[in-house]
Amino acid sequence: MKKLLGYWCLYVIAEIAAYMVVGHYLSFGRIFLLELISTAIGVVVIIIQWQSLRLFITQVQKLDGVSTKIADKLALFIAGILLVVPGFITTIIGLLLLLPFVRKLILPMITAKGSNVIQTKFKVTTFGQQTTRKEKTFDYEEK
């Protein structure tokens, strides 16, 4: 948890520094307009990719590996989210993810990581034809 908080603090500091640098060259109105346009593009991308996210969830529930087509759609969905989040660093990363050649570069990482997460988080046991997931359980005692 402390590690996550540290990363978040670094992110906030980096975004503030980016705003300071861009603010040196652009007026407040232009910065606001850039953020508004990037948010609008992000919302459009999220709406278009929403069905792909549902397919990704279905694929995870079936415990299949993550296909490259679904990983590409997931990368576009993540790009939309990054465009909606205010900040120049997230906007730049989101815009880069919209470019097909950038997605092709990171697609193997998304596919491998997604398949790894599916295998480690959803351990599978097979009983004949039926496949079930082992889920972590805990006992709760009231005091």
Side-chain angles (χ1 to χ4, degrees):
M1 188 66 172
K2 288 182 183 180
K3 203 175 201 182
L4 182 62
L5 184 61
Y7 288 140
W8 183 79
C9 287
L10 284 174
Y11 163 73
V12 169
I13 291 169
E15 285 291 1
I16 290 170
Y19 272 110
M20 290 173 67
V21 169
V22 173
H24 184 70
Y25 297 103
L26 298 176
S27 66
F28 173 78
R30 289 188 179 171
I31 292 172
F32 182 76
L33 186 62
L34 284 172
E35 288 293 335
L36 190 66
I37 290 170
S38 72
T39 300
I41 292 170
V43 167
V44 169
V45 169
I46 288 172
I47 290 170
I48 291 171
Q49 296 304 321
W50 186 255
Q51 184 65 28
S52 299
L53 180 67
R54 293 176 65 194
L55 288 173
F56 176 77
I57 292 170
T58 303
Q59 193 174 25
V60 168
Q61 288 173 342
K62 288 181 182 177
L63 298 173
D64 295 338
V66 177
S67 68
T68 54
K69 183 178 177 183
I70 296 296
D72 187 56
K73 301 291 185 180
L74 182 63
L76 282 171
F77 186 79
I78 292 169
I81 290 173
L82 289 173
L83 287 169
V84 169
V85 173
F88 283 109
I89 296 172
T90 55
T91 300
I92 290 170
I93 295 170
L95 288 173
L96 286 174
L97 280 175
L98 290 178
L99 301 173
F101 70 91
V102 174
R103 285 196 315 272
K104 281 186 181 180
L105 288 174
I106 66 166
L107 222 51
M109 290 186 312
I110 293 174
T111 306
K113 184 70 173 171
S115 297
N116 187 25
V117 166
I118 289 172
Q119 290 173 359
T120 57
K121 298 288 183 187
F122 304 103
K123 298 185 192 276
V124 179
T125 57
T126 306
F127 299 106
Q129 298 266 356
Q130 185 179 16
T131 304
T132 59
R133 282 187 265 172
K134 291 182 181 178
E135 297 184 19
K136 295 180 181 177
T137 60
F138 65 94
D139 293 326
Y140 175 75
E141 289 183 25
E142 283 191 36
K143 294 183 179 183

